[in-house]
Amino acid sequence: MTPTSTPLELPHKGYLLPEAIPMWPPAWWTWLVVAFVIIALLSAILLLLKRRSKRKYRQEAMNSLKKNSDNLNDKELIIACHELIRRCLISENKVSQAALPSHALIAQLDSTLPKKRRFDQLGEDFINGLYRAEVSLTPEQKTTMIRLTCYWIRKHRV
């Protein structure tokens, strides 16, 4: 004898269940949230692009210093570092600060830098080297000067 399989009869066949509620279209306020998120993302992207274009001078200054530092003698390197610092200040609309004498400018810049990264550790050759006829720097002083100038260009605040 083979058992015949009969379909299982469920009780209460008279109930009518509604169809599942679809997920689409979403609630009316969903479109407001989606629009707000899109506007916020576009605004953030535009602000970042504006900030990047505003600070592009920093990258150009560091590239020019690193590229030209091998071809410059000691005095020209000091002049290039001072010039780039002053040009960056002018780019940030700090003309009055850029016009300060070297001693006052370096003192003011050092007040905003951490102790390990201050220009005064370069000595008088960096501050007064512009005004001397002969300046001789060691290779360590040159690399430290380039490194500190690039650090200041990259990190200075408005």
Side-chain angles (χ1 to χ4, degrees):
M1 295 204 181
T2 63
T4 61
S5 63
T6 59
L8 183 61
E9 296 284 331
L10 295 175
H12 309 295
K13 288 185 180 179
Y15 292 117
L16 296 175
L17 298 175
E19 293 182 22
I21 299 173
M23 290 298 291
W24 198 259
W28 65 270
W29 50 265
T30 305
W31 296 113
L32 293 175
V33 172
V34 169
F36 177 75
V37 169
I38 289 173
I39 290 171
L41 286 175
L42 289 175
S43 299
I45 290 171
L46 288 175
L47 288 174
L48 288 175
L49 289 175
K50 185 177 177 182
R51 180 179 182 212
R52 182 176 179 174
S53 68
K54 184 179 174 185
R55 293 182 172 200
K56 189 171 186 162
Y57 73 90
R58 295 178 188 219
Q59 190 65 35
E60 292 172 0
M62 287 190 301
N63 288 340
S64 71
L65 181 62
K66 289 178 182 177
K67 184 170 49 170
N68 297 330
S69 64
D70 296 332
N71 303 333
L72 302 174
N73 63 24
D74 296 343
K75 185 173 181 175
E76 291 171 344
L77 182 62
I78 293 171
I79 291 171
C81 289
H82 279 266
E83 180 183 330
L84 286 175
I85 289 170
R86 291 178 192 275
R87 287 174 62 190
C88 288
L89 288 170
I90 290 170
S91 295
E92 293 285 342
N93 295 325
K94 299 272 188 171
V95 178
S96 60
Q97 188 177 7
L100 291 173
S102 295
H103 281 289
L105 177 63
I106 297 301
Q108 196 171 31
L109 296 180
D110 281 346
S111 67
T112 62
L113 294 172
K115 290 190 181 201
K116 292 181 357 182
R117 307 283 182 140
R118 291 190 177 172
F119 288 113
D120 62 0
Q121 66 179 308
L122 296 173
E124 286 296 314
D125 289 336
F126 181 72
I127 298 171
N128 294 324
L130 300 167
Y131 313 112
R132 294 184 185 161
E134 292 288 325
V135 177
S136 61
L137 299 173
T138 64
E140 294 83 23
Q141 286 176 319
K142 286 182 180 181
T143 57
T144 305
M145 184 183 312
I146 293 169
R147 184 177 45 83
L148 288 177
T149 305
C150 286
Y151 175 81
W152 182 84
I153 290 170
R154 192 176 63 247
K155 296 290 186 177
H156 75 274
R157 303 283 187 253
V158 180

